[in-house]
């Protein structure tokens, strides 16, 4: 659509060609930028306390790391630990919270462009 506007708006052939070239360059540049540096959805998906207890001795990871990366971080404003996510891609996968003694809790996670849902898997 962006390329069609110069063709529809202008009558002068040189201006039409220039408009199409500029539009094409902008589209190609934005496409390359999105491929080289894809958007990242950064969020916190789990907080320590209540049902789940963990600290920096625990490990957390996605079963399929093409969706992003997880880490356990300390949040000084709440003085507690959280699972932080850097999602690169939307989709369905699982993540595992593993205690120092090897006990694993598995969660299903559905990742969307700017939201997610987490459910603990029943063993």
């Amino acid at each position: 659509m962006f390329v069609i506007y110069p063709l529809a708006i202008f009558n002068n052939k040189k201006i039409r060609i220039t408009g199409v070239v500029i539009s094409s360059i902008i589209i190609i540049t934005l496409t390359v930028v999105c491929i080289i540096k894809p958007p990242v959805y950064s969020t916190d998906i789990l907080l320590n306390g209540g049902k789940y207890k963990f600290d920096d001795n625990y490990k957390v990871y996605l079963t399929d790391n093409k969706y992003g990366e997880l880490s356990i971080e300390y949040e000084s404003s709440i003085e507690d630990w959280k699972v932080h996510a850097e999602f690169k891609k939307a989709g369905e996968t699982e993540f595992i919270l593993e205690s120092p003694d090897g006990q694993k809790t598995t969660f299903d996670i559905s990742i969307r462009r700017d939201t997610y849902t987490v459910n603990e898997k029943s063993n």
Side-chain angles (χ1 to χ4, degrees):
M1 201 64 162
F2 196 55
V3 176
I4 297 172
Y5 283 125
L7 297 174
I9 294 173
F10 301 110
N11 293 328
N12 185 318
K13 187 175 181 179
K14 288 181 182 181
I15 294 174
R16 291 172 92 176
I17 291 171
T18 303
V20 169
V21 169
I22 291 171
S23 298
S24 299
I25 290 171
I26 291 171
I27 291 170
I28 291 168
T29 302
L30 291 175
T31 302
V32 168
V33 167
C34 287
I35 290 171
I36 292 173
K37 187 175 173 145
V40 174
Y41 172 39
S42 181
T43 188
D44 301 322
I45 59 174
L46 197 62
L47 296 174
N48 185 38
K51 187 173 181 181
Y52 306 108
K53 305 278 187 199
F54 56 89
D55 58 25
D56 63 336
N57 294 316
Y58 280 64
K59 294 181 202 172
V60 64
Y61 52 92
L62 291 165
T63 55
D64 190 348
N65 61 5
K66 73 180 179 186
Y67 292 100
E69 296 178 9
L70 301 179
S71 60
I72 296 177
E73 299 176 357
Y74 185 76
E75 180 65 47
S76 59
S77 64
I78 60 171
E79 297 180 352
D80 214 343
W81 298 95
K82 63 183 181 178
V83 174
H84 182 75
E86 298 284 331
F87 295 127
K88 301 180 210 172
K89 182 178 179 179
E92 311 276 331
T93 188
E94 298 176 341
F95 76 90
I96 297 172
L97 182 65
E98 185 176 344
S99 69
D101 64 1
Q103 183 179 359
K104 296 179 181 181
T105 306
T106 304
F107 299 86
D108 286 321
I109 185 163
S110 176
I111 306 161
R112 298 291 167 252
R113 192 180 90 205
D114 59 357
T115 188
Y116 65 92
T117 55
V118 172
N119 294 306
E120 183 177 353
K121 286 185 88 167
S122 55
N123 294 329

